[in-house]
Amino acid sequence: MKNKLLIDIGSTYFKVSDNENLQQHFRDFNKDIFDDLKYKCNEILEKYKKEDIYICSSANGGLSTLIIGTSNSFSLKFATNIAFNSGINIIDTVLYQDIKTTSIPSDLIDVVIIAGGIDSVSKLFDEELFNYLEQINYSNIVYVGNKNDSEELSKKIENLVVLPNIINNKLQVNEDELKEYLTNLYQADIMGKEDIKHLYDITSNQIYPTPYIVNKTLPVINNMLKVADPFILVDIGGATTDIHYSTTLVNDNMIKNNEYDRLVFKKLGVFKSKESLIFAAKNNEFVYELLANMNVTENIFEEQSDKAIKVLMKLAIFLVLYKVSEAHPQYVHLKLNLLKSIVLTGGITKVLKDEEVEDIVGFFYKKILNSQIKPNIVLDSNYEIWTLGITQK
Amino acid sequence: MSLLQEEREIIVQNEYADSFDFQEIEEFVKNASKNLFISHNFKNKNKMLVQPRGGFPTYEKQFALNEFFVKANVDVLPLTIDSNTRLNDYAMAKKMLRLSEENEVDMLNGYPLVNHGYRTTRKMITHFDKPVSLRHGTPDARLLIETAIASGIFEIEGGPITYLLPYSKNFPLDKAFLYWKYVERVCANYSKLNEPINRESFGPLTATLVPPCITIVIQLLEMLLSLEEGVKSFSVSFSQTGSVNQDIVTSAVLKKMAKYYAKEIDCEDAQINLVYHQWMGAFPSNKDYSESLINTSTVIAALVKADKIITKTRDEAFGIPTKEANAKTVANTQYTLRILQGLPNIINEQEEEILTQEVKSIMEAVFNDSADTLWRKVFNSIKNGTIDVPFSPHIINNNEVVTVRDKDKNIRIIKRGNLPISDKCFEYEKSKCNLNKDATSIVNDIIHDIGIMQ
C-alpha cells in the first residue's frame, strides 16, 4: 500500500485511496470519467508517478458475453464460471442442443465463447452452429472446447481464437487461458472506450475489472477482516450487485485454484438500475413486511432522499439473499444455513451502519430460513478488499 | 481478542448447538481427569490400547454401548458420528434424532454430537472416565471439534487429506486444509491446559490397494501440518494391507520417517504414536472367516508393536454391528494380545530401503513445490498427481496410479502416473509382478482383489 494510489471507478462513484486517506466522489455524468476524476482529485493525482497508480473499473459495464456449450453440467457451467470470475457480464447462455429454437440476441455481443466436450470426443458441432453465429452481431469469438473440432471450426468461423479446452479428460476445469484471454479483452475494450482510455495517461499499470480484483482478494480476506468461512461478499453498486461466494456453499463438481465464485445481478443496483430494483421489490411477497419492519411505507419508492437511498440499499441486501436462497429456484442455490459471515463492500458501507445491516440480515434469516441465528456481518468500510487485491500480482 | 478466538465465537453460533461458555470449558479441560486423555494413556499404560468402533443416535443407546465396552475391558471408547453431522446438516440430524428417540429404529448411523450438545454428552464421557476417540469423516469439523473437546473428548481422528479423498467427491480441498488448520489450532490451545489433546490421522484411506508409500507420505504430511500448528500428541496410522511382510515394513518406515520429519521442523518433543486398523476392506460373509481375519490383524498389530489397535467385528459384512458383536471383538482382541508376548523383531532390509527411498522422493517433491505454505504445497501436489490415492472418488485426485498384488500379496505399483518415485524403485515394484498378462486379466485381478479376503 505504501506510496501507491489506488482508484476504483464505479458506475456511480470514484473511490481514491492511498495510505493516508480514502475519498469517495459521486460522478458527474456530464463529464467524461477522466476529466471528472482530474477535476475532483487532481491534487492527490499529482503526488504519484504513473507506475504507482493502480486502477480498477466496473464503470463501463464490462464485456457482454454469450456462451454456447454442449452440456449444462460441464461446458456451460465451467465457461460461465470462468467468465464471471474474470469480471465479465454474461448476457445469455445457449445449450447447443436447443440452438435451433433459441432466440437471437439483438444486442451487440463483445465476445462469444464456444465450449464443449473433452478432447477425446469429436464432431460435436454442425451447420446449426454456423447458422446461429451468422445471425448474431459479435466482436470477438473464442473456442475453448474439444481439441478435435478446433481445426474444422477455425476453417469455418472467421477470426476464431482457439484456446486450450476448459475441460480436461477427467472432467476437471482448466481456467487459466480463458481467464487471461477475457481479462486482456477487457483491457483492450477499455483502451478502445473514449471515456476510459485516457485513464492510461495517469497509470502505467493494467486496468482490471473490479470483480476480478475482488475475486483475487477473497482467499486472503482473513488477513484484513474478521471473517469466518464459508462467507459471501456482497458488492452492491450503482448498476449491478455482485455476490462472491465460498464454493463450500454449493454442490459443485469443479476444482479450481480459487474456491470462490461470483454471481452478478444485473438489475439490482441502487442508482442506475434503481427502477428494476424497485420492480423486483414490489414483486416480492416479503418486502411489505420488510418495509413495515423498517417503519416506512411503499411511498418511499417515490422519494428522492437519503432515507430512500438507505431503504433501497437495505432492499438490495434482502433481495440478493432471497435470490440465492431456496425460496428462489432460478439462480444458484447457496446453502445459506451454513453461512458464517456476510461481508459487504462498495458504496453501501458508507451509507449503512452495522446495526442496520444486521437488522435486515436478521429479518431475512428469521422470515426466509426460520432461523434465529444469523451470520456475522462485516462492513468493508475502507475498501480494504480491493486495495489489497489490486496490488497483488 | 485474537482473530482465532473471534472466528471461534462465530463458528459456535449455531441454532443446533449449545451456547458456548468458553471460560467454563477451559476450566473443565484444565481440571479434567487425566484418564480421559489418550495421550496420558499412551504414556502410562504399558500395553497396546484396544479401541472398537461404534455410535448410536440416542444418548441412552450410546450409554448402553459404552457400558458393554467397559465390561469387555475396552481401553478407548469410540464415538462415531452420524453422516448428517459429517455433512454439517444439523437440521436433518435433529429430525432423525427425534424419530430415533420416538421409535425403536435407529434413524442415524452414529451419534449426532452437535445436536446432543456438550453439556449432555460431557455427563456420559466423565461417567465412564475412559479416553474417547472421535470418529467422523468431516471436512469442516470446526463446530464438531469444539463440541467434542467441550464434552471431554480429547482424541480427534481425521485430517484434511485422509477425511476428504476417501469420503468426498467435490468438497474443496483447499477449504478442507483451512478448516483443519482451525481444528489443529484449537487442539493445540487446549493442549496447554492439561495433558495434550491427541490428533490421529486416518491411514486406511480408500482401503483398496493403496501402496504403502502413499499411505506413509499422507500420514507424514498430516502429522507435519498438525505439529506446525502446535499439536503435541499425534498418532500416525495404517490398516492391514493383506501382506504380513508389507505391514511390518510399512510400520518400520512410518515410525522412522515420522521421527525424522518431526525433528526436521523442530517438533521432536511431540509424542508420536502408531495406530493399526484391523482389515478395512470387504469382509467375508462367513463369520468364522471374519473372526480369523480379525485375529490375524491382532497378531500383525503385535508384530508391528502398535500403540493402539482399532477393531472390526464378525458382523462387518452384514451392516452396522450390534453392541454385543462389538464388545465380543474387544474381549477377543484383548485375549489374543495377552497371549502374544515376546514376539521377535522382523526386519526386511531391502523392502525397507525401497520404501524409504519412495517416501523420501515424494516428500522432497512436495517440499520443492513453489508455494509459500506447507498446506498449499500439499494441495498443489495432490492436484498435480505427486500424491495420488488409488480409488479415491474425489474429483481432484489424479487417479493415474495403478496397483496390483504380487504373488506374496504385497501391493505393488505398476503404473506410477505422476508419482515422483525413481526408476530404480519403480522397476523393483514391477519386477515383483507378472505383467505378461493382458490388460483385461490385470483389471480382473484388481476387481478380484477388492474381495481378497473372501
Side-chain angles (χ1 to χ4, degrees):
Chain A
M1 267 287 284
K2 210 181 170 195
N3 298 326
K4 284 179 178 147
L5 181 67
L6 312 171
I7 302 169
D8 178 41
I9 311 285
S11 66
T12 320
Y13 290 95
F14 305 126
K15 293 125 207 171
V16 179
S17 165
D18 63 5
N19 55 344
E20 280 171 11
N21 63 40
L22 189 146
Q23 308 169 16
Q24 176 169 300
H25 299 280
F26 190 72
R27 274 180 54 190
D28 180 346
F29 295 102
N30 296 317
K31 288 184 176 163
D32 87 19
I33 292 171
F34 181 70
D35 292 341
D36 197 18
L37 181 69
K38 287 282 271 185
Y39 176 73
K40 283 166 179 156
C41 307
N42 200 37
E43 202 178 315
I44 192 165
L45 290 174
E46 283 188 343
K47 282 191 204 166
Y48 289 88
K49 292 181 210 152
K50 278 176 90 169
E51 58 269 29
D52 294 328
I53 295 180
Y54 292 82
I55 302 176
C56 62
S57 164
S58 53
N60 64 340
L63 295 174
S64 63
T65 306
L66 173 76
I67 305 174
I68 301 167
T70 51
S71 72
N72 274 323
S73 321
F74 292 99
S75 53
L76 274 180
K77 190 168 86 175
F78 285 20
T80 303
N81 200 272
I82 296 167
F84 269 151
N85 289 333
S86 311
I88 306 302
N89 291 332
I90 296 164
I91 65 151
D92 210 350
T93 57
V94 179
L95 184 62
Y96 189 61
Q97 68 187 50
D98 301 333
I99 200 161
K100 257 176 45 184
T101 53
T102 305
S103 59
I104 308 294
S106 53
D107 308 352
L108 170 69
I109 292 161
D110 291 314
V111 56
V112 175
I113 302 172
I114 305 169
I118 50 175
D119 282 342
S120 39
V121 301
S122 57
K123 295 184 179 157
L124 285 180
F125 303 99
D126 54 22
E127 287 303 313
E128 302 295 348
L129 175 69
F130 312 124
N131 294 341
Y132 182 81
L133 290 175
E134 262 176 27
Q135 297 173 73
I136 56 176
N137 189 6
Y138 57 85
S139 312
N140 302 280
I141 184 160
V142 57
Y143 177 69
V144 286
N146 74 81
K147 206 175 176 179
N148 294 339
D149 283 345
S150 61
E151 203 177 318
E152 185 66 17
L153 291 184
S154 289
K155 276 186 212 157
K156 298 200 167 162
I157 302 170
E158 206 180 333
N159 300 324
L160 181 73
V161 173
V162 177
L163 295 177
N165 198 342
I166 53 171
I167 311 166
N168 70 19
N169 274 3
K170 288 179 184 167
L171 301 179
Q172 294 169 333
V173 64
N174 164 38
E175 60 186 350
D176 294 346
E177 290 86 358
L178 180 59
K179 212 168 178 178
E180 192 187 341
Y181 171 79
L182 291 174
T183 46
N184 286 341
L185 209 58
Y186 182 88
Q187 157 106 336
D189 186 62
I190 283 176
M191 302 282 270
K193 289 207 166 146
E194 274 307 307
D195 55 347
I196 299 266
K197 71 178 184 187
H198 295 301
L199 291 172
Y200 279 102
D201 292 348
I202 56 169
T203 182
S204 55
N205 298 302
Q206 180 164 356
I207 299 173
Y208 284 103
T210 308
Y212 173 81
I213 296 297
V214 172
N215 196 260
K216 267 198 343 181
T217 315
L218 299 181
V220 289
I221 197 166
N222 272 311
N223 296 353
M224 315 165 289
L225 301 168
K226 289 153 191 167
V227 175
D229 202 89
F231 66 89
I232 59 172
L233 182 141
V234 184
D235 182 358
I236 296 176
T240 61
T241 290
D242 286 12
I243 290 189
H244 298 259
Y245 59 92
S246 173
T247 47
T248 318
L249 296 168
V250 288
N251 289 323
D252 219 335
N253 285 332
M254 284 188 289
I255 295 292
K256 299 164 289 141
N257 286 327
N258 178 358
E259 296 295 346
Y260 297 92
D261 281 336
R262 171 181 169 242
L263 270 177
V264 184
F265 298 97
K266 279 178 286 179
K267 292 180 178 173
L268 285 185
V270 292
F271 190 76
K272 274 194 168 173
S273 47
K274 177 183 157 185
E275 291 311 316
S276 61
L277 174 73
I278 292 170
F279 179 79
K282 284 182 173 171
N283 284 295
N284 187 291
E285 61 180 307
F286 292 95
V287 161
Y288 290 91
E289 242 177 306
L290 177 58
L291 292 175
N293 185 60
M294 288 190 266
N295 212 15
V296 293
T297 67
E298 61 179 312
N299 292 331
I300 196 80
F301 294 144
E302 316 303 325
E303 272 187 33
Q304 302 284 341
S305 63
D306 290 348
K307 189 180 175 187
I309 284 277
K310 271 194 173 201
V311 169
L312 284 182
M313 286 180 168
K314 288 180 188 177
L315 280 175
I317 295 173
F318 178 82
L319 288 172
V320 291
L321 289 176
Y322 185 82
K323 278 177 184 281
V324 294
S325 74
E326 268 179 358
H328 198 283
Q330 262 180 303
Y331 286 88
V332 170
H333 166 217
L334 302 184
K335 292 183 252 176
L336 295 177
N337 53 336
L338 295 185
L339 195 62
K340 293 291 174 199
S341 303
I342 298 179
V343 186
L344 289 137
T345 189
I348 194 170
T349 62
K350 294 285 167 205
V351 179
L352 295 184
K353 296 191 186 87
D354 277 339
E355 55 270 25
E356 290 172 312
V357 179
E358 297 231 355
D359 185 47
I360 294 303
V361 173
F363 177 88
F364 173 83
Y365 268 74
K366 199 167 114 196
K367 287 285 170 194
I368 310 295
L369 301 184
N370 298 315
S371 170
Q372 296 299 327
I373 306 277
K374 61 177 186 299
N376 180 45
I377 307 293
V378 180
L379 294 186
D380 174 34
S381 309
N382 291 319
Y383 300 110
E384 288 175 89
I385 286 167
W386 66 265
T387 52
L388 181 71
I390 201 166
T391 49
Q392 281 205 327
K393 293 289 174 194
Chain B
M1 199 189 283
S2 68
L3 260 180
L4 174 67
Q5 189 55 34
E6 293 208 21
E7 191 177 353
R8 294 178 70 196
E9 302 274 358
I10 301 168
I11 297 301
V12 299
Q13 287 291 318
N14 189 297
E15 64 180 303
Y16 300 100
D18 273 348
S19 63
F20 271 65
D21 181 346
F22 283 115
Q23 209 174 348
E24 187 276 334
I25 295 165
E26 270 197 36
E27 279 304 306
F28 163 70
V29 175
K30 201 182 286 177
N31 300 310
S33 158
K34 302 238 181 260
N35 293 334
L36 293 177
F37 290 85
I38 198 171
S39 56
H40 178 76
N41 284 261
F42 276 139
K43 272 182 280 185
N44 296 298
K45 268 200 166 181
N46 202 16
K47 73 180 282 287
M48 190 189 305
L49 305 179
V50 176
Q51 179 199 306
R53 292 183 160 79
F56 285 104
T58 65
Y59 183 88
E60 287 70 28
K61 280 200 172 179
Q62 186 65 42
F63 197 94
L65 176 71
N66 288 356
E67 278 185 324
F68 252 76
F69 281 145
V70 170
K71 274 186 204 155
N73 194 23
V74 76
D75 297 303
V76 183
L77 288 166
L79 193 74
T80 303
I81 300 301
D82 70 285
S83 48
N84 290 293
T85 302
R86 293 178 209 177
L87 298 171
N88 308 97
D89 187 354
Y90 311 116
M92 185 58 79
K94 183 185 173 184
K95 198 188 283 181
M96 293 299 144
L97 171 61
R98 192 178 300 148
L99 286 171
S100 304
E101 283 167 344
E102 287 167 1
N103 300 291
E104 286 300 300
V105 184
D106 294 328
M107 300 298 289
L108 292 167
N109 58 353
Y111 185 82
L113 174 60
V114 170
N115 295 86
H116 282 293
Y118 72 83
R119 291 184 174 88
T120 305
T121 308
R122 192 191 286 174
K123 286 180 200 152
M124 174 159 49
I125 308 294
T126 50
H127 172 85
F128 290 106
D129 198 32
K130 279 189 179 287
V132 177
S133 176
L134 186 79
R135 331 292 296 178
H136 50 115
T138 319
D140 179 8
R142 293 172 298 172
L143 176 58
L144 184 65
I145 269 61
E146 292 280 8
T147 316
I149 296 176
S151 308
I153 299 167
F154 302 140
E155 209 271 277
I156 309 290
E157 194 199 37
I161 313 165
T162 58
Y163 263 13
L164 198 76
L165 293 188
Y167 288 108
S168 170
K169 182 182 166 194
N170 54 13
F171 191 96
L173 181 61
D174 58 346
K175 294 284 173 59
F177 278 112
L178 294 173
Y179 295 161
W180 275 94
K181 197 183 196 49
Y182 173 101
V183 170
E184 309 297 3
R185 285 181 181 175
V186 168
C187 289
N189 284 351
Y190 277 124
S191 294
K192 292 170 191 158
L193 303 175
N194 196 329
E195 295 291 322
I197 308 283
N198 184 66
R199 284 277 298 103
E200 182 179 317
S201 182
F202 178 68
L205 292 162
T206 55
T208 310
L209 288 173
V210 182
C213 63
I214 294 291
T215 302
I216 293 174
V217 161
I218 291 175
Q219 289 301 296
L220 297 175
L221 291 170
E222 284 201 345
M223 178 193 78
L224 293 177
L225 289 167
S226 190
L227 299 188
E228 76 171 8
E229 297 301 333
V231 166
K232 293 292 176 198
S233 173
F234 193 89
S235 302
V236 289
S237 78
F238 71 105
S239 61
Q240 185 179 2
T241 59
S243 152
V244 178
N245 178 54
Q246 204 159 38
D247 284 352
I248 290 168
V249 172
T250 300
S251 85
V253 176
L254 179 53
K255 282 195 264 193
K256 181 175 69 181
M257 293 281 101
K259 273 190 190 153
Y260 171 78
Y261 284 106
K263 197 173 175 202
E264 285 283 291
I265 60 161
D266 297 326
C267 288
E268 60 264 52
D269 60 329
Q271 182 189 345
I272 311 291
N273 290 100
L274 177 70
V275 173
Y276 186 77
H277 288 255
Q278 291 184 342
W279 179 246
M280 290 289 284
F283 260 70
S285 48
N286 181 325
K287 293 190 182 186
D288 295 333
Y289 290 173
S290 285
E291 284 194 343
S292 178
L293 176 56
I294 291 166
N295 246 3
T296 310
S297 300
T298 312
V299 174
I300 300 169
L303 279 170
V304 304
K305 298 182 176 55
D307 299 298
K308 183 173 87 172
I309 182 167
I310 301 179
T311 61
K312 283 280 191 172
T313 70
R314 72 198 310 261
D315 290 352
E316 222 63 48
F318 305 97
I320 298 174
T322 59
K323 58 182 186 300
E324 291 82 2
N326 261 309
K328 185 176 163 53
T329 203
V330 170
N332 288 349
T333 302
Q334 293 284 27
Y335 171 77
T336 308
L337 286 175
R338 276 199 300 278
I339 57 175
L340 286 171
Q341 300 295 328
L343 294 173
N345 260 347
I346 301 170
I347 296 166
N348 185 329
E349 281 180 6
Q350 187 185 23
E351 289 282 342
E352 274 188 35
E353 176 58 28
I354 293 287
L355 184 54
T356 304
Q357 280 181 28
E358 289 176 352
V359 169
K360 281 190 165 174
S361 306
I362 304 172
M363 291 295 280
E364 200 180 315
V366 175
F367 293 140
N368 283 340
D369 183 89
S370 61
D372 58 342
T373 57
L374 178 59
W375 78 262
R376 183 63 76 177
K377 286 175 193 280
V378 182
F379 174 73
N380 290 343
S381 302
I382 293 171
K383 263 179 70 173
N384 63 30
T386 302
I387 298 168
D388 190 344
V389 178
F391 299 100
S392 164
H394 201 283
I395 192 166
I396 203 168
N397 194 63
N398 202 38
N399 279 324
E400 290 290 349
V401 169
V402 177
T403 47
V404 296
R405 283 187 192 277
D406 66 18
K407 63 179 176 27
D408 299 323
K409 304 284 183 203
N410 297 296
I411 299 167
R412 302 293 185 190
I413 299 165
I414 56 164
K415 190 175 164 219
R416 63 180 154 175
N418 290 341
L419 283 190
I421 57 173
S422 67
D423 290 346
K424 182 188 147 200
C425 291
F426 187 45
E427 290 310 319
Y428 179 84
E429 295 264 343
K430 287 196 295 185
S431 71
K432 298 288 175 183
C433 308
N434 175 11
L435 298 176
N436 295 324
K437 293 177 177 179
D438 61 292
T440 312
S441 303
I442 292 176
V443 170
N444 285 340
D445 284 349
I446 293 169
I447 293 167
H448 173 75
D449 187 75
I450 293 169
I452 185 179
M453 294 304 171
Q454 291 187 22

